[in-house]
């Protein structure tokens, strides 16, 4: 699985868009970019995933660069409940093994 | 539908004992994966089961084992517990080989070894 690199922590003001970057320069052509988050003391929660095109769902948007070497998760209107550790993962759809890195600890400031 | 259920939620064991943790996946999901989370090592993959067969395995010693039953429920066992096995153990279920194989995680079992 491709290794991903994320900043260890980020701050975002409540109500603003939170933009979480992820580098995955060694991603292979059949690996998807997945995002999960883990709120304190809970199991990780799936957010979104994509291959090449930008994706949007009710939780977030995922912007993948054209060369697929990096991506950005966007939480459009961050709330205090979005405070969590966010994990960016590159994996093939047919492989159910998820390799977690250290993620980004997102602090939402009131 | 009901989510992933892990039992027990909390457990305290003594060094040298063994422990069995249980995971009931979402109905219809046939793949179950197990993870260990510690402050020092983060989330680490233990193993994954599909249709009662271990399909993937992480880098953990043989003291860590698992199995899956015909109803997809899974158990993991840790023998000869060590202090370092204290961790949050998480299981995740998914529908394998579908177009969006997002995994759904349980709340975890917090194991403390004393």
């Amino acid at each position: 699985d491709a290794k991903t690199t994320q900043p260890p922590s980020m701050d975002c003001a409540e109500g603003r868009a939170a933009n979480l970057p992820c580098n995955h320069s060694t991603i292979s052509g059949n690996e998807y970019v997945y995002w999960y988050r883990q709120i304190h003391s809970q199991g990780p929660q799936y957010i979104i995933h994509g291959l090449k095109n930008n994706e949007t769902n009710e939780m977030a948007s995922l912007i993948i660069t054209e060369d697929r070497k990096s991506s950005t998760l966007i939480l459009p209107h961050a709330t205090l409940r979005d405070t969590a550790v966010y994990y960016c993962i590159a994996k093939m759809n047919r492989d159910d093994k998820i390799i977690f890195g250290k993620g980004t600890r997102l602090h939402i400031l009131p | 539908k009901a989510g992933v259920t892990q039992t027990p939620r909390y457990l305290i064991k003594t060094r040298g004992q063994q422990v069995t943790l249980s995971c009931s996946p979402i109905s219809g999901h046939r793949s179950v994966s197990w993870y260990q989370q510690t402050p020092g090592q983060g989330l680490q993959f233990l193993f994954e089961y599909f249709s009662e067969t271990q399909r993937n395995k992480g880098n953990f010693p043989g003291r860590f084992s698992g199995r899956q039953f015909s109803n997809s429920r899974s158990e993991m066992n840790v023998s000869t517990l060590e202090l370092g096995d204290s961790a949050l153990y998480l299981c995740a279920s998914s529908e394998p080989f579908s177009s969006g194989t997002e995994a759904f995680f349980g709340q975890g079992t917090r194991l403390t070894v004393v």
Side-chain angles (χ1 to χ4, degrees), chain B residues 36-91:
Chain B
Q36 181 197 65
Q37 186 170 29
T38 59
Q41 299 297 320
L43 271 159
Q44 293 187 284
F45 172 76
L46 278 156
F47 28 65
E48 183 240 338
Y49 286 87
F50 171 69
S51 291
E52 303 178 63
T53 301
Q54 188 180 87
R55 195 167 58 173
N56 276 307
K57 189 177 187 305
N59 295 322
F60 278 81
R63 300 186 297 108
F64 292 80
S65 63
R67 59 177 176 168
Q68 187 180 33
F69 302 96
S70 58
N71 61 358
S72 294
R73 189 177 71 86
S74 177
E75 289 180 347
M76 69 162 282
N77 184 277
V78 188
S79 62
T80 320
L81 283 165
E82 300 175 0
L83 296 179
D85 297 332
S86 295
L88 179 67
Y89 289 89
L90 292 155
C91 99

Side-chain angles (χ1 to χ4, degrees), chain A residues 31-67:
Chain A
E31 285 184 310
Y32 287 68
V33 178
Y34 278 76
W35 284 83
Y36 284 79
R37 73 179 182 185
Q38 187 175 25
I39 295 170
H40 183 61
S41 296
Q42 296 183 21
Q45 175 191 24
Y46 165 81
I47 301 173
I48 198 168
H49 76 285
L51 183 64
K52 295 181 188 177
N53 302 320
N54 298 337
E55 301 288 344
T56 295
N57 63 19
E58 64 278 3
M59 288 184 68
S61 294
L62 174 61
I63 309 297
I64 303 173
T65 58
E66 194 168 340
D67 62 8

Side-chain angles (χ1 to χ4, degrees), chain B residues 8-27:
Chain B
R9 289 293 312 277
Y10 302 93
L11 205 50
I12 300 175
K13 287 287 189 178
T14 303
R15 194 169 45 179
Q17 287 186 312
Q18 74 164 11
V19 67
T20 299
L21 312 181
S22 178
C23 173
S24 293
I26 290 173
S27 178

Side-chain angles (χ1 to χ4, degrees), chain A residues 32 34 36 38 41-46 49 87 91-102, chain B residues 31 33 35 37 40 43 45 48 55-56 88 90 94 96-103 105-107:
Chain A
Y32 287 68
Y34 278 76
Y36 284 79
Q38 187 175 25
S41 296
Q42 296 183 21
Q45 175 191 24
Y46 165 81
H49 76 285
Y87 297 96
K91 79 175 190 74
M92 292 184 287
N93 254 2
R94 294 182 66 83
D95 185 353
D96 289 289
K97 176 175 63 176
I98 302 174
I99 304 300
F100 289 90
K102 297 193 182 300
Chain B
S31 174
S33 299
Y35 296 81
Q37 186 170 29
L43 271 159
F45 172 76
E48 183 240 338
R55 195 167 58 173
N56 276 307
L88 179 67
L90 292 155
S94 62
F97 307 146
S98 63
S99 61
T101 53
E102 60 265 34
F105 284 81
Q107 296 283 44

